[in-house]
Amino acid sequence: MPAEIKVPTLGESVSSATIARWLKQPGESVAADEAVVELETDKVSVEVSAPVAGKLGPHEVAEGDEVEVGALLSVVEEGAGSSPAPAATAPKETGGVQPPRATSGPVARPATPPADVQREAARAEVAPLPAAAKMMTENKVAAADIGAGTGKDGRITKGDVISFLERPATPAAKPAPAASGPRSDDPREERVKMTRLRKTIANRLKDAQNTAAILTTFNEIDMSAAMKLRADYKEQFEKAHNGARLGFMSIFVRACVAALKQFPAVNAEINGDDIIYRNFVHMGIAVGGSNGLVVPVLRDADRMSFPEIESAIASFGKRARDGQLKLEELAGGTFSITNGGIYGSLMSTPILNPPQSAILGMHKIQDRPIAVNGQVVIRPMMYVALSYDHRIIDGKEAVSFLVRVKESVEDPRRLLLGL
């Protein structure tokens, strides 16, 4: 009996994914545990492997399709496979139905309507995806209220329903209608479909701007003491802690932890008419991945040591580049840090990562003249920015929080002494 390849459990609150790309074609040989298809969720990409060795059967879904957890993707016929099956072009040439014959790849399916017919049918009646339909029924939401969905052929997804339910109670202005008629592309342009991850990032950032009262406060930090500490103990630190490298991020994480304990509203979130205060810190660290920016979470960062923080961040960075981060590692953050300085950014205003209420932006270290004790000196300076939700955090708290971070980084001994 063929071994089925199905959509695996994707993590808490994730019920669907998009077929990003097929890594193996029908008729190709696959080894046990060899990746055959890549799925893209709202947060990360996931590779699904063959359960047994053999020959891959037909693709049950196409690239770009949205699939639910447990949906059948393909099957594997146990035994020796073959080279990739040639494209089934004969039906297109003859226009007739081929007689049954043995083949290592899929044959044309005459019963399937042409793509243009399918699109017309989809436009005539576009049903929400199952998970979305269930949520709409539970919340008494009509498809007309939501409008066109973001799924394939305009189908309403669960994310569309969640976004609709999270909209403010006051009526929001409707988006401007698209320009009439299709856009005329220049021959020198290239049109690429937006990935699911990129769409999710775009929607979340826009939702943050629409929902939160975002304000940013700035300060600058003299990095002299932190740089000297790193230079003095870099080699000893690496030898003592199994190759973990001493960087500035662990200093900033510990500085933020100390400031969050002093100003708990910065670590809180708004939930309906309530404010949720936390007695722990789950620190999100923004890292660049193969498919865009992701924010893995240092859980209980307030209990972590310098070497534990550096080791965890190094692991996050490597696995983000390899696309190996797990869904659960990206959820549950209470405060985030993003470092645009590694790309050369001198100053920016970071956007909140909902439902968090604040995010710290680090930037490039640059030698600048500053006044110290009445003298102009050159010091390595970094601009830092704190973007925060003014609905829950007052300006005084935000400014004081950033000053507390500045004091800790400029004199790291304060972190060791708990001052």
Side-chain angles (χ1 to χ4, degrees):
M1 177 180 291
E4 295 182 333
I5 302 176
K6 295 185 176 182
V7 179
T9 301
L10 300 169
E12 184 180 358
S13 76
V14 180
S15 60
S16 65
T18 299
I19 305 296
R21 61 188 177 116
W22 281 97
L23 306 176
K24 290 288 185 178
Q25 298 304 315
E28 286 192 79
S29 297
V30 294
D33 298 324
E34 182 179 5
V36 296
V37 61
E38 182 180 318
L39 306 180
E40 188 177 61
T41 71
D42 291 343
K43 298 178 179 179
V44 294
S45 294
V46 179
E47 290 184 344
V48 181
S49 303
V52 296
K55 181 177 66 175
L56 186 67
H59 297 165
E60 297 296 333
V61 285
E63 293 183 359
D65 286 353
E66 185 162 352
V67 289
E68 302 288 322
V69 172
L72 179 65
L73 301 174
S74 185
V75 296
V76 176
E77 296 282 355
E78 294 191 59
S82 64
S83 58
T89 57
K92 295 181 181 178
E93 298 171 354
T94 64
V97 180
Q98 287 185 323
R101 61 184 178 89
T103 177
S104 59
V107 297
R109 300 179 181 179
T112 303
D116 55 344
V117 177
Q118 290 181 339
R119 284 193 293 269
E120 290 299 328
R123 279 193 287 267
E125 184 177 357
V126 180
L129 290 168
K134 179 180 179 183
M135 181 173 286
M136 291 166 62
T137 301
E138 293 173 349
N139 292 276
K140 298 181 179 179
V141 176
D145 297 333
I146 299 175
T150 59
K152 185 179 180 181
D153 297 324
R155 296 185 72 184
I156 296 174
T157 67
K158 184 177 179 181
D160 296 329
V161 183
I162 294 174
S163 298
F164 174 80
L165 295 175
E166 290 179 348
R167 290 177 191 170
T170 55
K174 295 183 178 179
S180 59
R183 180 185 185 276
S184 298
D185 292 346
D186 189 285
R188 294 165 294 178
E189 295 177 329
E190 180 184 5
R191 182 183 291 269
V192 178
K193 186 176 178 61
M194 187 181 290
T195 66
R196 181 180 178 130
L197 178 60
R198 176 54 56 188
K199 286 193 292 186
T200 299
I201 292 173
N203 291 336
R204 285 178 61 82
L205 293 179
K206 189 56 183 172
D207 286 345
Q209 288 185 321
N210 291 341
T211 303
I214 302 178
L215 189 63
T216 304
T217 184
F218 300 91
N219 213 315
E220 59 180 355
I221 296 177
D222 183 348
M223 296 294 293
S224 300
M227 293 177 71
K228 185 177 186 306
L229 175 70
R230 186 171 184 263
D232 289 347
Y233 296 102
K234 180 179 179 181
E235 292 183 4
Q236 297 179 49
F237 185 91
E238 190 169 345
K239 291 178 181 178
H241 300 296
N242 300 319
R245 296 183 177 181
L246 179 60
F248 298 126
M249 189 59 78
S250 58
I251 298 175
F252 273 90
V253 169
R254 291 291 298 271
C256 287
V257 166
L260 290 170
K261 290 183 176 180
Q262 188 172 346
F263 301 98
V266 184
N267 195 44
E269 75 169 77
I270 293 177
N271 184 267
D273 294 330
D274 301 325
I275 298 176
I276 300 176
Y277 291 94
R278 303 178 175 99
N279 297 317
F280 59 89
V281 177
H282 289 344
M283 186 75 69
I285 306 295
V287 295
S290 57
N291 296 318
L293 192 71
V294 291
V295 189
V297 177
L298 291 173
R299 301 196 177 280
D300 296 312
D302 48 322
R303 300 181 182 180
M304 298 178 72
S305 64
F306 282 89
E308 289 174 334
I309 293 171
E310 291 291 356
S311 296
I313 292 175
S315 175
F316 284 155
K318 181 180 184 302
R319 289 187 290 125
R321 290 188 295 271
D322 296 339
Q324 298 299 317
L325 285 173
K326 300 178 181 177
L327 287 169
E328 56 267 25
E329 294 176 311
L330 304 175
T334 63
F335 180 86
S336 292
I337 300 177
T338 181
N339 184 8
I342 60 177
Y343 305 111
S345 172
L346 187 61
M347 184 179 289
S348 66
T349 55
I351 299 179
L352 300 183
N353 183 21
Q356 298 171 27
S357 298
I359 181 172
L360 178 77
M362 298 167 56
H363 299 92
K364 179 183 178 181
I365 300 174
Q366 188 176 64
D367 286 344
R368 293 201 299 272
I370 63 170
V372 177
N373 298 324
Q375 301 293 322
V376 176
V377 297
I378 304 298
R379 293 289 176 85
M381 304 298 293
M382 176 194 288
Y383 288 118
V384 288
L386 180 76
S387 291
Y388 60 98
D389 190 344
H390 211 351
R391 297 178 303 165
I392 183 174
I393 303 170
D394 294 331
K396 178 182 177 181
E397 287 178 301
V399 172
S400 300
F401 173 91
L402 201 53
V403 169
R404 178 72 172 85
V405 172
K406 170 184 169 70
E407 292 173 346
S408 296
V409 176
E410 289 187 338
D411 186 0
R413 295 173 298 179
R414 297 171 64 98
L415 299 174
L416 301 176
L417 298 175
L419 301 176

